[in-house]
Amino acid sequence: MPRRPKKNPFTFMEVLEQHVRESRVSFHVPGHHNGTVRHPSLPTPFSKIMPYDLTELEHLDDLHQAEGIIHQAEEALGSLYESKSKWLVNGSTAGNWSMLAATVKRGERVYVQRNSHKSVWNAIEWLGLEPVLLTPEIERGSGLPTVVSLATVQEAVSRYPDGKALLLTSPTYYGDMADIQAISHFLQSCSIPLLVDEAHGAHLIYSDLPKRSAIFEGASIVVQSAHKTLPAFTMGAWLHYKEHIDETRLLHALSSFQTSSPSYLIMASLDHARMYLESLTERDWSHIQTSHFAFVMELKRAGFSVKVGDDFTKVTILTYPKNGIAFSRHLSSIGIDIELAAEDHVLLCLPLRELKMEEIEHWVKLIKNASQHVPLIEDDETIYPFPVTERVSELHTIHEGMETTRLSFEQAVGHIAAETVIPYPPGIPWILKGEVITVEKVRVLIEWISLGRKLQASRHVMMKQIDVIVEEF
């Protein structure tokens, strides 16, 4: 029989604190040896946190073979999300790779939301999966991509049968959430597991929310970046899954795609994030939501056009006819850092706490003042928030050794892209390897380059050139 984990009366944070208080001697990694090895110029805050940067000592457990304090903390997390849960220390990226590897085998088909994060597309490429692309609905007015509809899912399964899993992004970067209940109910009838990249949704747990985390709504596996919306350190994430998932494959994937030396600082912050979320009362939730609504109302009173999705912590200011990228730079110059800027909008991520009225009034005043110095967009035909494609489509298969050539953007129109181009943030590919390059996509790329928008792409892309597949006729 497997050994039952020993129940520890303390939390993960308390065990680390006790370890530091004991002033133990370190003859083990990491090389700063409890903070005793450091340069005199190291700032005091870093010196104070170093002793907590520990390793897999016996009483501190092992993330990849958790039987003690880490196992206990993951069980507490699972109780909160009504699932089996695992900590992730390499961000949601490791979670996306792991849930795909656990459910879809090399050469098998997977249905994927087109506006998925680049980590999803990287995983699909390297795991050798065959994606069917599902185009999200486009919101009228803003033109922003939202979520995949049930009708699109049904069309994909009908046109391209034998898919082994479906991966959705919900909530999206802009806070829109899919109808997970309806989609999961349909997929259950087809015996297809629903995987959800819920990077921005770790906080959506309160029972009175109109839409909650997908793990409560019928999803099979959900990955969350706790660090995006909760008080966890960057790279701290969670994975939740249900009993019908092949746990052996999932755990093997997690141990393969994550570091063998996990950060105890990140893990401690994950336990803190769980405790913070768990501690919120109905009164806290009411005050948080009310204050966020007050912030939106103040923005509207100041003359801004505002979009709020299903996730009340995501607020998009629609800047048209003013330039959103220029607006974000004015905001940065006065000490306001935002999540994302595009040609015609900026995105704000609000903290999961009650906002004080004096904060709200001060922020809105600064935002309004900054907007008065923003130039107008010169040509509205250059704004294309999302590439227009078929509702359901496949990527062209690209094999290693295929001949490629480099063309100017204009020459590349109609050819199949041999590389991916990603605006960052949000990290959603504008051009996917294997997609046909269109006039629209080229036009937008040229505009982004002229505006100085940050792109994750080859250096030659910034010189308006792109690699394409040489097609044989």
Side-chain angles (χ1 to χ4, degrees):
M1 291 181 63
R3 187 176 66 175
R4 292 179 61 83
K6 181 181 178 181
K7 191 72 173 178
N8 197 303
F10 304 106
T11 67
F12 185 82
M13 293 281 285
E14 288 169 336
V15 169
L16 291 191
E17 184 67 30
Q18 177 61 32
H19 180 95
V20 173
R21 279 200 302 265
E22 290 174 356
S23 299
R24 304 167 74 96
V25 176
S26 167
F27 288 140
H28 55 76
V29 299
H32 57 68
H33 294 275
N34 293 347
T36 61
V37 181
R38 62 180 186 269
H39 192 272
S41 65
L42 186 70
T44 300
F46 284 91
S47 299
K48 288 184 176 180
I49 205 171
M50 266 185 164
Y52 296 87
D53 180 37
L54 295 161
T55 191
E56 298 94 335
L57 301 173
E58 184 175 359
H59 61 290
L60 298 182
D61 209 1
D62 181 350
L63 178 66
H64 298 296
Q65 192 68 42
E67 297 179 330
I69 192 62
I70 293 176
H71 177 77
Q72 178 182 317
E74 289 180 330
E75 280 195 326
L77 180 63
S79 296
L80 188 60
Y81 284 89
E82 300 174 10
S83 66
K84 302 182 81 171
S85 298
K86 293 295 178 183
W87 283 350
L88 303 174
V89 294
N90 289 83
S92 283
T93 293
N96 286 336
W97 277 67
S98 296
M99 66 178 175
L100 283 167
T103 54
V104 191
K105 296 177 182 176
R106 185 170 295 276
E108 292 182 334
R109 177 172 285 160
V110 59
Y111 310 105
V112 188
Q113 185 166 329
R114 173 56 181 81
N115 55 327
S116 293
H117 188 262
K118 67 172 189 174
S119 61
V120 171
W121 301 110
N122 288 338
I124 286 171
E125 178 182 357
W126 287 102
L127 293 174
L129 311 184
E130 298 296 330
V132 173
L133 279 55
L134 312 183
T135 297
E137 301 298 302
I138 304 298
E139 184 179 68
R140 290 184 178 180
S142 70
L144 293 172
T146 60
V147 294
V148 170
S149 68
L150 173 60
T152 298
V153 171
Q154 291 170 329
E155 180 183 339
V157 174
S158 174
R159 285 179 55 189
Y160 300 96
D162 302 322
K164 301 304 179 183
L166 185 146
L167 193 152
L168 296 180
T169 300
S170 178
T172 65
Y173 215 65
Y174 298 96
D176 298 305
M177 298 173 70
D179 188 348
I180 296 296
Q181 283 191 357
I183 292 173
S184 64
H185 180 73
F186 167 73
L187 292 177
Q188 285 167 14
S189 69
C190 308
S191 299
I192 298 174
L194 174 58
L195 324 179
V196 181
D197 178 354
E198 199 173 75
H200 286 266
H203 60 297
L204 298 171
I205 195 171
Y206 181 45
S207 58
D208 284 351
L209 291 173
K211 290 186 177 180
R212 302 174 75 197
S213 166
I215 200 64
F216 299 108
E217 307 293 333
S220 299
I221 314 184
V222 171
V223 172
Q224 301 170 332
S225 290
H227 70 91
K228 292 188 186 298
T229 60
L230 296 173
F233 287 172
T234 297
M235 291 174 63
W238 293 327
L239 182 146
H240 313 293
Y241 61 102
K242 296 301 185 181
E243 295 287 346
H244 58 272
I245 291 300
D246 187 335
E247 189 173 50
T248 300
R249 284 182 62 87
L250 179 61
L251 296 183
H252 178 58
L254 287 171
S255 66
S256 299
F257 301 136
Q258 295 205 94
T259 176
S260 59
S261 301
S263 165
Y264 274 69
L265 290 172
I266 291 176
M267 292 193 291
S269 76
L270 284 174
D271 204 34
H272 170 69
R274 187 265 309 166
M275 288 188 287
Y276 177 80
L277 191 57
E278 205 170 41
S279 71
L280 295 178
T281 63
E282 287 190 21
R283 183 175 180 273
D284 293 329
W285 278 105
S286 176
H287 285 194
I288 291 169
Q289 292 178 85
T290 299
S291 70
H292 285 206
F293 177 73
F295 176 66
V296 171
M297 292 307 298
E298 286 298 310
L299 284 173
K300 290 182 176 180
R301 288 192 190 99
F304 291 103
S305 177
V306 181
K307 163 188 162 60
V308 181
D310 300 296
D311 175 9
F312 62 92
T313 68
K314 296 295 189 300
V315 175
T316 304
I317 300 176
L318 305 173
T319 62
Y320 184 82
K322 292 189 174 182
N323 187 301
I325 295 176
F327 185 27
S328 72
R329 289 170 180 158
H330 281 284
L331 290 173
S332 178
S333 71
I334 59 172
I336 296 179
D337 298 319
I338 63 169
E339 176 65 17
L340 173 147
E343 292 76 14
D344 59 346
H345 65 271
V346 296
L347 173 64
L348 315 181
C349 295
L350 303 187
L352 192 69
R353 64 170 176 83
E354 181 181 0
L355 310 178
K356 302 303 180 184
M357 202 60 209
E358 54 268 27
E359 287 181 302
I360 293 173
E361 291 173 349
H362 177 62
W363 294 341
V364 172
K365 182 180 179 180
L366 291 175
I367 293 170
K368 185 175 182 179
N369 288 342
S371 72
Q372 294 171 358
H373 304 285
V374 179
L376 298 178
I377 296 172
E378 295 181 0
D379 183 358
D380 61 0
E381 292 185 359
T382 61
I383 298 174
Y384 294 90
F386 194 73
V388 177
T389 56
E390 296 179 70
R391 189 158 80 162
V392 178
S393 61
E394 283 188 302
L395 286 179
H396 292 264
T397 302
I398 297 179
H399 302 290
E400 285 190 34
M402 273 188 165
E403 186 180 355
T404 65
T405 188
R406 187 165 298 164
L407 300 176
S408 69
F409 282 175
E410 290 79 4
Q411 293 173 320
V413 171
H415 290 266
I416 299 168
E419 58 182 320
T420 297
V421 180
I422 306 169
Y424 201 90
I428 297 167
W430 178 251
I431 292 178
L432 273 171
K433 184 189 297 187
E435 275 189 326
V436 174
I437 299 169
T438 64
V439 171
E440 172 200 6
K441 291 175 183 176
V442 163
R443 190 179 298 166
V444 175
L445 276 182
I446 292 172
E447 177 69 10
W448 282 346
I449 291 169
S450 70
L451 290 171
R453 185 169 184 184
K454 182 179 179 182
L455 298 176
Q456 292 186 342
S458 303
R459 186 172 297 178
H460 55 257
V461 169
M462 306 310 293
M463 297 185 290
K464 302 177 185 177
Q465 297 176 332
I466 189 168
D467 288 348
V468 300
I469 300 296
V470 175
E471 298 178 69
E472 297 179 359
F473 299 96

